[in-house]
Amino acid sequence: MSNRQKSILTADADALRRADDVVGRLGLPNEGIEVTDPGTAEVIAHVPDVGRDGITSMMASADRAGASWARTTPRERSNILHRWWELLVEHSEDLALLITREMGKTLAEAKGEVKYGSDFVRWYAEEAVRAGGNFQEAPDGGSRIVTRRSPVGLSVLITPWNFPLAMATRKIAPALAAGCSVVIKPATATPLTTYFAVQLAREAGVPADLVHVITTSSSRTMSETALRDPHARKVSFTGSTEVGRTLLGLASERVLRTSMELGGNAPLLVFDDADLDRAVDGVFAAKMRNGGQSCIAANRIYVQDGIADDFVAAFRQKIASVRMGHGLSEGAHLGPLVSPRAVTDMEAIVAGAISEGAELLEGGNAPEGDGSFFSATLLDHVRPDSAISGSEIFGPIAAIQRFTTEEEAIQRANDTEFGLAGYVFTESLDRAFRVSDAIQCGLVGINQGVPSNAAAPFGGVKQSGLGREGGSEGLEEYQNIRFYNIAAR
Ligand code: NAD
């Protein structure tokens, strides 16, 4: 067992200065809610604390702007979204620096997020002009049915901190493409990227009042005010299942349209017939990307007996080679977690798993010093009924369980109330489809650990959510359908 404290790479001074230049250009106030760098614990900015009255006036103003936006042509909306995408690409480096500074992930990962996040804007620029309706002959021949799509109206968007750009663009872009106005509340920990992205949207031609950013010290006041506001027509939320439940309750009062991207507890299955190298790389990406702070992170890693020892040995080497450091340091693979609280949570999860019979092979500790760091951790022989299997880890802890038969693996994979992502590693095509069909979830990575794509309908089943984001399905979340029944004779 290795329990050594690993040293932390410090941030590159030039990269820090460039990140702070970007923060400086946002034109934020000198007081308000503090935004901290989780890698150094220093305060890097303040954002406005918008109260009830401010929220109400933003809702009214977005609703007014939405009336004209809904009358624009699909081509006009598409052109503006295209321009926004171009600006996001042009400012990729600055966006990545900002994401790393406020959220912690490494600069390389932040650049990946900028690519992924801006892809949603490009995708919906293209989808905006394809949002057609339908024509149908009634079965009795007596009439013709024409369906038409129209914007849902003012949409309240609430995003988490783990992908500050992508979670915002995945909502704003389809809403604007459909002809809706929005207010968006980013997570209090990571509001800067949203401010920057919205500034670029305005520069691209999005009317200033069409999109308002709400930062607040009271999320509850925000949701109660915005969701009860008479102008609200829709709420789209990404975050924990617990908060999603509260928002669904509020949304029911005015029967709002809802999209809920909630928590996960993804099972990942490695079969004896998997390609070992591909499985090691894929599992590493599925688990450690974003420091394990992803809703689709592989939470329960099931490895079949015949390959388990070889897999664990190779995977252990990979985990042992992970270098921790500030996201803006040269050579860091793993940045800080989002907050000191997250570190305490990881310590408790590891201690709990060990007390329930797991074996600690790598990491398992928080190094001394500033910043919310926790080492890449490998636990083997995790018990199926232990607490770590039942809830979202949301950190860099890989928890391995062994299994014997396919049926047993499927049964254990589905033994959860969550159903967002699943993963299957096998070289058998039959097995890949058979097992993917049997896992209760909204998306499956087959022989790969990063399944998300702007063109794909991302979302969960069971308590992982309602609705889809991305793909053509993501646009429908912001559209009402009506039909005209035209007499044929
Ligand atoms: P969270 O639920 O604590 O917070 C998400 C957002 O909701 C934040 O902006 C937060 O300020 C806000 N919020 C909290 N309480 C609120 C309230 N009463 N009213 C209005 N807003 C409120 O989640 P988090 O810790 O930021 O993110 C982690 C969770 O998000 C994990 O469970 C993860 O699985 C989930 N997540 C899901 C997806 C997905 O697509 N399914 C993607 C990313 C994260």
Side-chain angles (χ1 to χ4, degrees):
M1 182 178 95
S2 154
N3 199 27
R4 59 187 180 276
Q5 300 263 332
K6 293 196 171 177
S7 60
I8 307 291
L9 299 167
T10 51
D12 177 68
D14 181 54
L16 271 183
R17 188 190 47 71
R18 285 186 290 127
D20 289 342
D21 276 354
V22 184
V23 176
R25 277 185 265 131
L26 295 176
L28 294 167
N30 293 325
E31 52 187 34
I33 307 169
E34 290 182 350
V35 182
T36 15
D37 176 337
T40 60
E42 36 170 349
V43 174
I44 54 166
H46 294 83
V47 291
D49 191 355
V50 183
R52 204 178 287 276
D53 291 348
I55 294 165
T56 303
S57 81
M58 285 180 182
M59 295 289 289
S61 131
D63 188 60
R64 277 193 301 276
S68 332
W69 184 251
R71 287 194 295 271
T72 57
T73 65
R75 180 59 73 199
E76 285 168 326
R77 297 198 291 275
S78 171
N79 286 344
I80 290 176
L81 286 169
H82 261 295
R83 179 69 193 128
W84 185 21
W85 171 67
E86 284 167 359
L87 288 174
L88 289 167
V89 172
E90 217 172 277
H91 291 84
S92 293
E93 180 76 18
D94 286 352
L95 281 160
L97 287 164
L98 198 54
I99 291 172
T100 298
R101 189 74 159 128
E102 69 172 340
M103 184 271 164
K105 71 182 71 178
T106 63
L107 191 59
E109 286 201 287
K111 286 178 181 170
E113 183 185 341
V114 175
K115 163 84 179 60
Y116 173 56
S118 45
D119 267 357
F120 285 104
V121 180
R122 173 161 60 165
W123 176 261
Y124 285 110
E126 290 159 355
E127 286 297 290
V129 290
R130 310 202 198 299
N134 197 8
F135 172 84
Q136 202 183 337
E137 198 85 46
D140 64 6
S143 64
R144 283 147 195 177
I145 297 164
V146 174
T147 60
R148 179 171 187 275
R149 293 168 189 276
S150 55
V152 163
L154 175 54
S155 302
V156 178
L157 315 178
I158 302 175
T159 54
W161 47 264
N162 56 350
F163 292 93
L165 180 69
M167 297 301 99
T169 52
R170 198 163 81 166
K171 296 184 191 301
I172 301 174
L176 297 187
C180 300
S181 56
V182 308
V183 297
I184 176 160
K185 191 201 93 57
T188 318
T190 58
L192 306 181
T193 307
T194 305
Y195 273 116
F196 191 19
V198 170
Q199 269 184 13
L200 295 177
R202 290 181 181 145
E203 213 176 296
V206 170
D209 287 340
L210 194 68
V211 179
H212 284 291
V213 181
I214 300 176
T215 42
T216 174
S217 54
S218 173
S219 301
R220 200 170 141 193
T221 304
M222 183 272 164
S223 52
E224 289 178 358
T225 309
L227 270 56
R228 287 180 175 145
D229 188 284
H231 301 105
R233 292 286 168 235
K234 152 116 197 162
V235 55
S236 175
F237 170 70
T238 298
S240 60
T241 298
E242 192 191 344
V243 173
R245 225 176 259 125
T246 305
L247 297 178
L248 282 169
L250 271 174
S252 73
E253 292 180 17
R254 295 192 55 256
V255 196
L256 300 179
R257 286 276 297 270
T258 57
S259 301
M260 296 280 143
E261 298 285 350
L262 308 178
N265 181 359
L268 185 153
L269 280 52
V270 181
F271 287 94
D272 285 347
D273 59 8
D275 177 299
L276 184 64
D277 292 341
R278 193 142 84 142
V280 168
D281 288 348
V283 178
F284 186 81
K287 176 64 243 183
M288 291 296 166
R289 189 171 69 103
N290 219 37
Q293 303 168 110
S294 154
C295 51
I296 58 168
N299 215 53
R300 296 167 291 146
I301 302 170
Y302 298 105
V303 189
Q304 202 165 14
D305 293 329
I307 198 174
D309 288 342
D310 289 345
F311 175 85
V312 170
F315 194 64
R316 180 176 184 169
Q317 272 190 5
K318 208 156 166 92
I319 296 269
S321 70
V322 170
R323 299 223 52 193
M324 251 185 304
H326 190 283
L328 296 178
S329 63
E330 202 56 55
H333 310 116
L334 178 64
L337 297 182
V338 69
S339 65
R341 164 81 193 276
V343 176
T344 320
D345 288 349
M346 292 309 116
E347 287 172 331
I349 287 171
V350 171
I354 293 171
S355 75
E356 290 179 301
E359 187 184 347
L360 177 66
L361 297 182
E362 286 294 330
N365 50 51
E368 300 287 327
D370 294 333
S372 304
F373 290 92
F374 194 83
S375 55
T377 298
L378 179 59
L379 293 166
D380 195 8
H381 299 290
V382 168
R383 293 267 305 277
D385 54 354
S386 57
I388 191 173
S389 299
S391 57
E392 217 177 0
I393 297 172
F394 237 66
I397 301 171
I400 295 188
Q401 305 184 28
R402 317 264 179 133
F403 72 91
T404 305
T405 67
E406 184 179 306
E407 294 68 31
E408 175 201 349
I410 292 168
Q411 187 272 324
R412 282 160 67 183
N414 288 337
D415 187 17
T416 168
E417 268 307 308
F418 296 96
L420 188 54
Y423 300 86
V424 182
F425 288 83
T426 172
E427 291 297 291
S428 154
L429 186 65
D430 280 353
R431 172 174 269 158
F433 277 104
R434 194 169 59 235
V435 175
S436 299
D437 286 352
I439 300 177
Q440 297 160 351
C441 63
L443 56 134
V444 186
I446 300 176
N447 291 323
Q448 67 127 313
V450 188
S452 308
N453 191 293
F458 187 104
V461 301
K462 294 158 100 176
Q463 294 195 26
S464 286
L466 304 165
R468 293 294 178 267
E469 291 190 321
S472 49
E473 294 85 351
L475 188 63
E476 291 166 10
E477 300 280 323
Y478 294 92
Q479 292 172 322
N480 288 328
I481 298 177
R482 83 177 63 168
F483 73 88
Y484 305 115
N485 192 325
I486 308 153
R489 54 181 174 271

